[in-house]
Amino acid sequence: MISSVFIKIWGDRAVYLVGLGHGATHWITALFYFLLPFMAHDLGLSYMEAGIFASIFSIASLSANLFSGPLVDITGRRVMWQILSLVIGVVAIFLMGSIGSYIAAAALMILIGMSNNLWHPAAISYLSAKYPQRRGFVLSIHALGANLGDAMAPLIMAPILAVIGWRQTFETGSIIPVIVILLILLFVPRAYKANQQGSQEKAVNITLAEYFQGVLSLLKNRSIILLCVMSGFRNMAQTGLLVFLPLYLANEMQLSIFMMGLSLFAFQAAGIIAAPIAGIWSDKIGRRPLVVAGLGITTVMIIALSFMDDKEIYVAGISIMGFGLFALRPVVHSWLMDMTPPHMGGSATSLLFAIQSAMTVAAPIVGGALADSYGLIAAFYFLAAVLLCANILVAFLPKT
C-alpha cells in the first residue's frame, strides 16, 4: 500500500516540483512585499513611491512576456526556462539586502518582475501538455504552490526579521529558492507523455512561421482576449492588495511584526485550501461558475473590510477574501489552456500575463496617490471598483 502510494507520487513528481518552483517565485515577491514597510520606513518613501515598486514589477513582467512565450514555444525547453527564471529571482532578492538607494531597489525589482513572468509560460504550458486530462487539477497544484510561497514567506521570516533586520532577512530568504532550483534540476523530467497512448515525446517545438501564425489566431479569438482582460482586472486588485495590505496592517492597525506575518499568512493560506478545491471542481462543473463565485466573494469582502476595526475580525475577513481571490488563479489558467492549441500554450500564457501586466502598471500608482491624499482606505475602495469591472466582464465570456 505504502509502496504504491510512493510510486504514484514519484510518477507525478513533476506536478509537485513545478508547483514548488512556482511557490519559490512567489516566495521571492512575497518576501519583498512583506519587508516593504520596513524598507520604506528606512528609505523615507511615501505610499505612492512604495506603490511604484509594484508598477515597476508589472512593466518588467510585460517586457519579459515579449520574449518568454516565443522562447518557450520555439525552443521547447520548458524546464530549462523554469530554472533560469528562479536563478534570476534568487540573485535579485539576495542583492536587495545590500541596496542603498531607491534606484538600486527599483533596478532589482525589474529582475524580480522578469523572473516571475519568465516562469509562467514555461511551467503552465509544460504541465498543461503533460497532463491534458487533469489540467484543472495539475494547474491547481501549480497555483497552490504560489499560495504556499506567498503564505510561508511572512510567517517564516517574521521572527528572523525581528532578530536581524530587513537587509539580512532578504539575504537569508534567498536560501529557499536555491534549494528548489536544485530539486527541479535533479528530479523534473525533461521529456513527458503528451498523449493518452503514452508514447514518450520531447516537449513540442515549432518554427518561427508557425509561431506567428498561432499568435495571430490567439489575437483573433474574442473569448481569449476577454478572458485575459477580465484576469487583468483581477490581477490589478491582487497586486494592489499585496502592496497596500502590509502597509495598512503595519501603519494603520499597528500590528507587531509577528501579528503582521500571521495575518498575511492567513490571507494566503486560504488560497492553499481554495486552489486545489477550485481546480478539481472546475474539471467537473466548468470554469465559469467558479470564476463568478470567486470574484463575487473577493469584491464583497474588500468593501466589508473597510468597515472593520477589530483586529481579530479583520484577520478572519482577509482570510475569506484570500479564499475567493486565489481560488480564481488555477481556474483562469485552465480556462485559457482549454481555449488554446497545445503547441501555443506558452504564447497564450505570455499573452495573458502581458495583458495583466499592462493593466496592472497604473493600479499601484493610483492606489498610492489615493492613499497619500485620502488615507489607505481609499486605495481599497479603488481596488473594489476594479474587481467590479472584472465581475461585469465575466458576463460576456462563453458559458461553455
Side-chain angles (χ1 to χ4, degrees), residues 186-206:
L186 294 174
F187 299 116
V188 171
R190 301 323 189 249
Y192 54 82
K193 295 178 181 178
N195 55 44
Q196 288 179 286
Q197 284 70 41
S199 62
Q200 195 78 359
E201 298 180 1
K202 291 285 183 183
V204 179
N205 59 314
I206 60 175

Side-chain angles (χ1 to χ4, degrees), residues 101-150:
S101 68
Y102 186 81
I103 298 298
L108 292 175
M109 198 62 181
I110 291 173
L111 290 181
I112 293 173
M114 294 180 69
S115 162
N116 191 271
N117 272 276
L118 181 56
W119 172 270
H120 292 103
I124 291 175
S125 61
Y126 175 86
L127 291 174
S128 181
K130 183 172 171 63
Y131 302 96
Q133 304 305 317
R134 301 161 62 198
R135 189 169 288 153
F137 167 70
V138 299
L139 292 182
S140 73
I141 297 298
H142 185 252
L144 185 150
N147 292 120
L148 191 63
D150 286 331

Side-chain angles (χ1 to χ4, degrees), residues 65-371:
N65 274 302
L66 297 177
F67 62 82
S68 59
L71 283 175
V72 167
D73 285 334
I74 293 171
T75 65
R77 302 293 298 275
R78 288 166 168 79
V79 177
M80 181 193 76
W81 294 114
Q82 291 172 44
I83 293 169
L84 182 60
S85 161
L86 286 174
V87 169
I88 294 170
V90 165
V91 170
I93 207 68
F94 180 82
L95 293 177
M96 194 70 77
S98 59
I99 58 104
S101 68
Y102 186 81
I103 298 298
L108 292 175
M109 198 62 181
I110 291 173
L111 290 181
I112 293 173
M114 294 180 69
S115 162
N116 191 271
N117 272 276
L118 181 56
W119 172 270
H120 292 103
I124 291 175
S125 61
Y126 175 86
L127 291 174
S128 181
K130 183 172 171 63
Y131 302 96
Q133 304 305 317
R134 301 161 62 198
R135 189 169 288 153
F137 167 70
V138 299
L139 292 182
S140 73
I141 297 298
H142 185 252
L144 185 150
N147 292 120
L148 191 63
D150 286 331
M152 298 309 294
L155 187 67
I156 292 174
M157 302 311 288
I160 296 174
L161 171 65
V163 174
I164 63 176
W166 65 268
R167 291 184 181 276
Q168 291 75 22
T169 303
F170 269 125
E171 295 168 355
T172 306
S174 65
I175 295 172
I176 296 296
V178 169
I179 294 171
V180 175
I181 289 170
L182 294 174
L183 290 174
I184 293 175
L185 189 62
L186 294 174
F187 299 116
V188 171
R190 301 323 189 249
Y192 54 82
K193 295 178 181 178
N195 55 44
Q196 288 179 286
Q197 284 70 41
S199 62
Q200 195 78 359
E201 298 180 1
K202 291 285 183 183
V204 179
N205 59 314
I206 60 175
T207 67
L208 194 60
E210 289 172 327
Y211 167 74
F212 283 114
Q213 185 179 5
V215 168
L216 188 61
S217 69
L218 293 177
L219 293 173
K220 289 180 178 178
N221 190 317
R222 178 178 173 272
S223 296
I224 286 178
I225 298 301
L226 269 178
L227 180 67
C228 290
V229 173
M230 181 278 294
S231 187
F233 281 116
R234 174 207 161 274
N235 197 66
M236 289 171 68
Q238 177 180 301
T239 301
L241 287 169
L242 291 175
V243 174
F244 298 117
L245 190 56
L247 291 167
Y248 186 80
L249 295 175
N251 298 341
E252 301 297 324
M253 300 202 78
Q254 299 289 310
L255 296 187
S256 67
I257 290 174
F258 297 102
M259 277 303 298
M260 187 177 155
L262 186 62
S263 300
L264 294 174
F265 170 78
F267 176 53
Q268 297 285 351
I272 296 174
I273 299 169
I277 293 174
I280 294 169
W281 204 8
S282 74
D283 281 338
K284 296 179 180 180
I285 68 170
R287 320 295 184 195
R288 195 173 189 275
L290 292 168
V291 171
V292 171
L295 285 173
I297 290 171
T298 310
T299 307
V300 168
M301 287 311 303
I302 285 183
I303 297 171
L305 284 171
S306 66
F307 299 101
M308 295 181 186
D309 294 322
D310 185 274
K311 294 179 180 179
E312 287 75 17
I313 295 176
Y314 195 90
V315 172
I318 62 176
S319 298
I320 297 171
M321 182 171 63
F323 188 93
L325 181 67
F326 296 116
L328 294 172
R329 189 152 46 194
V331 181
V332 170
H333 294 169
S334 300
W335 203 352
L336 178 67
M337 292 297 102
D338 292 343
M339 299 177 182
T340 306
H343 67 282
M344 292 301 296
S347 297
T349 306
S350 274
L351 178 64
L352 171 68
F353 282 90
I355 290 175
Q356 286 184 170
S357 299
M359 292 177 65
T360 303
V361 168
I365 299 175
V366 173
L370 289 171

